[in-house]
Amino acid sequence: MHFLDELNAIQYEAVTEIHGPIMINAGPGSGKTRVLTYRIAFMMEQGIEPFNILALTFTNKSSKEMRERIEKIVGSKARSLFMGTFHSVFARILRTKAEALGYTNNFTIYDTDDAKSVLKSIVKDFALNDSIYKPNVLYNRISNLKNNLVNYNIYSKNQELIYEDEEAHRPKFGEVFKEYTKRCMKNNAMDFDDLLIKFYELILRFPETLYEFQHKFQYILIDEFQDTNRAQYMIVKKIADVHQNICVVGDDSQSIYAFRGASIDNILNFKKDYPDLKVFKLEQNYRSSQIIVNAANALIKHNKNQIEKTIWTENEKGQEIAVMRAFSDNDEGKMVVDKILEQSLTKQIKYQDIAILYRTNNQSRSFEEALRRKNIPYIIYGGLSFYQRKEVKDLLAYLKVTVNPYEEESLKRIINYPIRGIGDTSVNKMLLFARQENKQLWDVVCEIEKYKEHFQARAINTITEFRMMIQSFHLQQDMNAHELAHHIAKTSKIIGELYADKSVEGISRFENLQELINSIKEFVENDEVIENQELESDKSLGSFLQSVTLLTDQDKNKDNEECIKLMTIHASKGLEFKSVFLVGMEERLFPSERSSYSLEDLEEERRLFYVAVTRAERFLTMSFSTSRYKFGKIDMCEPSRFLSELPKEILDIQFTTSEQNETNSNPSNPIHKNYQRNNQLINTIKSTNNIQKIPTDFKPDHPDKLEVGMRVMHQNFGEGNIVGIDGDADKKVASIMFGGTERRIMLKFAKLQIL
């Protein structure tokens, strides 16, 4: 087993200790993927059958790469591994068990847009205020509940959850949740979160099924364990109960997806569930310079809730971290692009090795404009996905209806596209009859003659022709996915419609449709055969649709583009670049304003900063602006507190001559005073890294006790004086001076201790 020679001492131990509960706490750049890959290969070399191993990841890309690496070591038997994302693995299993839960095995998987479309229809049908019952808000609430294993039945009996929605002025949320659950079931569809909660329901309701998986999957490995939610952890915990051979790999310091339902408690409290746990800490960083590693260590030590470790590296010391101060957000864009050109010319850093990372998507504008002015190519990660483009979704909707005609959202999308004379009036009538008779839209389409007195004869004929076309597609599912998709695109006249549009946009849409059909051909012609995973080698239309729906954000991104990468820090996780520009390092932006209300949120923001810092290999540049346009007005900005948490000796603080000249030459400029104050803050960053320490006996007082003039302690801002209180009842807001900065904090969230 020569491959073990490539491991350092602690990696070797983590790879070769294969029995019992194991945690591999892997710092950034510490060879985590290699350890996980070699561990599986070692297990197979020790005689463990591949089909007894369940390996769960968070992207299809990572599982594919791992499988390929393992196959190079152990040969073709690696194809028998049950490996993939949580959602893809559970979807594969549910296909074979769906009937036990009341679904057919050709159920549709709703992507986020599909699910929101269903919710939008429900809000409209229930005549609810769509400015309060926003589909996005409803979807996120339902997703969060399901991630915590709360279905509608559980929700309806939980008064605390119901009260939360009443307080949020959504008293009808429970009815929406109930109807959404009902419609998904009737449409023979599951959303992403259903793939988890339905799987949990399967093993909970059917002990024989749980027994089957417990004895099939005798060894479980989970990558990026810090990103798991409660549902994911509870599922694997139940499956691992018999053999207890569970290995989790992750880094609590990179837990940044609480907004998606991820629970850092899963990794922090793992030892409580497994007292015999063996922990291996991978602390050697192979990616970054010593200065970048030191910055990351200094930063994360400020977090209270963590598994302690100290990252180290044998790499070169590297350059100091540049901190650039800009006059405005537009000036920040120019500074960053000038620095990119400098690195490209003097350091020979290629564009594809450079990333600009920001906290929120809307920050990209100034950098895009600056890059365009210099004719520098760039790509935005997390922009409109290929699979979200209208023409692509239109053809995908035809394919979905071919497989599952009861999938109502897709059926509504295509019933009159291309235009065939089935207008909104006719569709709404059919939907009304479906609701009144507890049927599906497809049932009414198939029985349209029953309702002929309500429709014009032409509409009846057109609906009948549409039904016959879909039924003909449905009957041809023995064709491979590419042949059938091409036939559907041609027969439905989508190709003809787009081909006829010779505008620039029309040509682009036609090319996108061709690209989709090409991708289906590539799917069909892929000769990889995965043993013991029937659906992986299935070339049917249903199998293709599942593979597309379960693509993760990283799977959709192309890494080989010769251009600057722009993305949010969240999107950068798992990636690495020779040079990283971390922009918008300002209070109320990073850390975000809402993170100021709790220690947990602030620590997650710090972990996010830690992730951003550790993406860099050789060069790390941070920037902030002294002013920024917000809602059409100039907003004065302060440097992020995170900058003061970095060792002063590794920072190289820079600013533009134009910035200094402009502010000094115009003292009446509204930014002038803010600029001078930022000088003081910068000097503070240079001279000290001390921050106020919160007493260990910190205990917030009840908001009703707070009065103007009191001196108080805040968990994040330290000591301050209350200078004003306004508002009524639970909407009271306090104005508090912390040092020279006044902050307005809602009292019910403030957590202030009276001194």
Side-chain angles (χ1 to χ4, degrees), residues 192 222 227 243 261 315 420 468 544 556 608 670 677:
F192 288 147
I222 306 171
D227 294 337
H243 295 283
N315 293 341
R420 55 176 56 88
M468 292 173 67
F544 169 77
K556 298 169 187 173
L608 188 59
R677 182 174 56 170

Side-chain angles (χ1 to χ4, degrees), residues 231-441:
Q232 290 164 329
Y233 179 46
M234 291 303 292
I235 290 170
V236 294
K237 186 172 179 291
K238 278 195 169 293
I239 296 175
D241 270 351
V242 172
H243 295 283
Q244 300 272 304
N245 293 321
I246 179 170
C247 173
V248 301
V249 184
D251 181 5
D252 59 293
S253 296
Q254 298 186 65
S255 178
I256 60 173
Y257 292 120
F259 69 97
R260 292 184 187 171
S263 173
I264 193 173
D265 290 340
N266 288 349
I267 192 167
L268 293 180
N269 299 329
F270 192 61
K271 189 171 179 62
K272 291 181 181 178
D273 290 333
Y274 297 95
D276 298 331
L277 181 70
K278 295 175 184 175
V279 179
F280 300 96
K281 295 182 181 180
L282 306 185
E283 297 176 305
Q284 182 175 1
N285 179 290
Y286 293 93
R287 175 190 300 159
S288 306
S289 68
Q290 289 181 17
I291 279 181
I292 292 171
V293 167
N294 292 343
N297 280 331
L299 173 77
I300 206 63
K301 286 188 186 304
H302 288 82
N303 270 11
K304 178 182 176 183
N305 298 310
Q306 62 172 299
I307 299 171
E308 288 190 13
K309 61 180 177 296
T310 301
I311 307 303
W312 59 278
T313 185
E314 294 180 344
N315 293 341
E316 62 182 13
K317 181 180 178 181
Q319 292 199 347
E320 292 178 335
I321 297 170
V323 179
M324 302 194 304
R325 176 183 56 188
F327 179 70
S328 65
D329 44 356
N330 284 335
D331 191 36
E332 184 184 27
K334 295 173 189 173
M335 287 180 70
V336 165
V337 172
D338 286 345
K339 190 78 170 178
I340 286 173
L341 286 171
E342 178 191 325
Q343 287 186 353
S344 176
L345 292 171
T346 65
K347 307 294 183 183
Q348 286 74 53
I349 304 295
K350 296 178 181 178
Y351 287 155
Q352 63 261 38
D353 294 326
I354 300 173
I356 300 175
L357 309 183
Y358 35 75
R359 180 65 182 82
T360 59
N361 275 307
N362 62 348
Q363 290 173 252
S364 71
R365 178 196 56 80
S366 63
F367 304 101
E368 289 187 71
E369 290 177 0
L371 288 165
R372 282 199 296 267
R373 279 195 293 268
K374 299 289 187 179
N375 293 317
I376 297 175
Y378 67 89
I379 184 172
I380 296 182
Y381 275 42
L384 185 64
S385 159
F386 173 80
Y387 292 101
Q388 299 303 316
R389 294 185 170 100
K390 179 186 180 301
E391 60 277 9
V392 173
K393 292 213 71 164
D394 287 337
L395 181 52
L396 285 175
Y398 266 100
L399 305 185
K400 288 178 181 179
V401 169
T402 296
V403 173
N404 174 20
Y406 289 99
E407 208 274 83
E408 190 171 282
E409 295 309 306
S410 294
L411 183 57
K412 287 190 295 184
R413 186 181 187 100
I414 64 168
I415 197 167
N416 197 38
Y417 178 77
I419 293 173
R420 55 176 56 88
I422 308 175
D424 290 345
T425 302
S426 295
V427 174
N428 289 335
K429 281 183 184 178
M430 289 189 287
L431 283 168
L432 179 62
F433 293 135
R435 303 286 183 261
Q436 288 175 343
E437 300 175 22
N438 196 28
K439 293 181 177 179
Q440 292 296 90
L441 177 58

Side-chain angles (χ1 to χ4, degrees), residues 389 538 548 669:
R389 294 185 170 100
D538 181 1
V548 168
N669 189 312

Side-chain angles (χ1 to χ4, degrees), residues 386 395 481-483 485-487 489-490 495 511-523 544:
F386 173 80
L395 181 52
H482 174 252
E483 293 170 347
H486 189 271
H487 172 68
K490 185 177 178 181
I495 282 185
E511 289 174 348
N512 286 336
L513 207 64
Q514 291 292 344
E515 179 63 23
L516 174 61
I517 294 172
N518 290 340
S519 73
I520 300 174
K521 185 175 184 180
E522 183 180 347
F523 169 82
F544 169 77

Side-chain angles (χ1 to χ4, degrees), residues 568-621:
T568 64
I569 302 169
H570 282 100
S572 74
K573 188 165 174 294
L575 304 177
E576 56 188 57
F577 305 92
K578 286 188 173 63
S579 177
V580 167
F581 288 81
L582 181 51
V583 301
M585 289 300 303
E586 299 144 29
E587 285 292 304
R588 295 181 294 144
L589 183 55
F590 194 22
S592 67
E593 189 165 18
R594 66 173 177 267
S595 70
S596 300
Y597 297 126
S598 79
L599 180 64
E600 291 79 9
D601 290 343
L602 182 63
E603 291 201 344
E604 173 140 339
E605 288 288 293
R606 190 175 285 111
R607 292 194 296 269
L608 188 59
F609 186 25
Y610 179 86
V611 166
V613 168
T614 55
R615 298 311 93 199
E617 297 176 10
R618 292 175 56 195
F619 302 100
L620 177 58
T621 306

